[in-house]
Amino acid sequence: MSSEIPFCEAARTVLRRPDVAVPAKSCDTHAHVFARHEDYPFTPNRTYTPPEASLEQYLELHRMLGIERGVLVQPSVYGADNSLHLHALRQLREWGHDYRGVCVVAPDISMTELQELHEAGFRGVRMNLLFRGGLQWNDVLGLADRIAALGWHLQFLINVSDCGDIMDRVADLPVPVVFDHMGHMPAALGADEPGFRKLLGLLSDNKAWVKLSGSYRVTLQGEYPYPDVAAIARALVVANADRCVWGSDWPHPHFSGLMPDDTDLLEDLVAWVPDAEIRKRILVSNPARLYGFDD
């Protein structure tokens, strides 16, 4: 492995439960697990090298937070090799847990391979335009019709403030689109930034979903709390609370700042969404619809 590829810090251990209990069947829609490089090799074309973050640690995080469901999202360091998360989802099912996945696939993947992923619990394809190793826009276009047949969605990791051409095409896609990390726009640009306004419009028109996640990635604050993110998060909820979901982004890879506390990240949702019934939709019923959980 090249010494030029930076190593990531490990996630903090969760030491306290949230002050406000989360409702039953709450879902963390964005997290990853990482195995030893010797067992599941990383792609050479990557921007970071993560430490191990095991399935057992992931479940312990959810136990502490009161989370009963989750979505494992394929990270860029594994490219289109979904075998680790495929194995993780099968293991979770054997242990009696109800989890889903979002994969990264090659443009020429067969329907047989897609069906295998579907049976394991995958429900979407991730498009990564920020970090090397993920999908590009041209790769996704040829997949859209096929994944539509499975009821899947596309998940975009993009900065909405500098991807106007993509934002203009989203409404015409034949599948739902989910935006990571509140659109991954620097919070300092504010809710009136043109690309962010396009995201709000897509939400209002039921043309997209958004993850209320990654606040520590878009803030200008050096440490928690992140007050500059609150206006962004609230604007997304006001645009369409029924198209918002929450995610921890554990174990917070490719982040060089002060590692966030996952309990703080969950409690932020209470600050952004003081209405308990709306929070329940964001944590329970919205992800149940998007990821096909059996309620």
Side-chain angles (χ1 to χ4, degrees), residues 91-220:
Q91 184 70 73
L92 285 163
R93 182 175 297 174
E94 289 180 10
W95 291 344
H97 299 290
D98 199 11
Y99 280 63
R100 297 287 186 268
V102 174
C103 57
V104 170
V105 298
D108 60 350
I109 187 172
S110 69
M111 284 304 298
T112 299
E113 292 172 290
L114 286 172
Q115 188 62 46
E116 179 186 13
L117 293 170
H118 184 84
E119 291 172 359
F122 288 91
R123 293 297 181 266
V125 172
R126 190 184 200 197
M127 176 185 179
N128 186 335
L129 293 181
L130 286 183
F131 309 135
R132 294 190 303 272
L135 287 177
Q136 300 299 314
W137 175 259
N138 289 338
D139 299 326
V140 173
L141 291 178
L143 289 168
D145 288 337
R146 282 186 290 161
I147 67 171
L150 295 170
W152 285 20
H153 61 268
L154 299 179
Q155 179 174 312
F156 286 176
L157 175 55
I158 63 173
N159 180 341
V160 298
S161 68
D162 61 13
C163 291
D165 58 331
I166 290 177
M167 301 298 289
D168 291 337
R169 295 185 232 176
V170 168
D172 295 328
L173 290 169
V175 293
V177 171
V178 182
F179 287 88
D180 282 5
H181 306 333
M182 295 183 275
H184 220 293
M185 178 193 76
L189 296 180
D192 288 327
E193 196 282 326
F196 189 76
R197 297 299 304 176
K198 289 183 180 181
L199 174 56
L200 296 178
L202 289 168
L203 290 172
S204 298
D205 293 339
N206 291 318
K207 299 293 187 181
W209 297 71
V210 69
K211 293 188 178 185
L212 303 178
S213 62
S215 54
Y216 61 95
R217 297 187 185 277
V218 301
T219 184
L220 286 185

Side-chain angles (χ1 to χ4, degrees), residues 22-28 62-63 65-70 97-99 293:
V22 300
K25 298 182 180 180
S26 287
C27 184
D28 172 4
H62 284 178
R63 188 187 69 80
L65 296 181
I67 298 292
E68 297 179 30
R69 293 171 169 174
H97 299 290
D98 199 11
Y99 280 63
F293 288 108

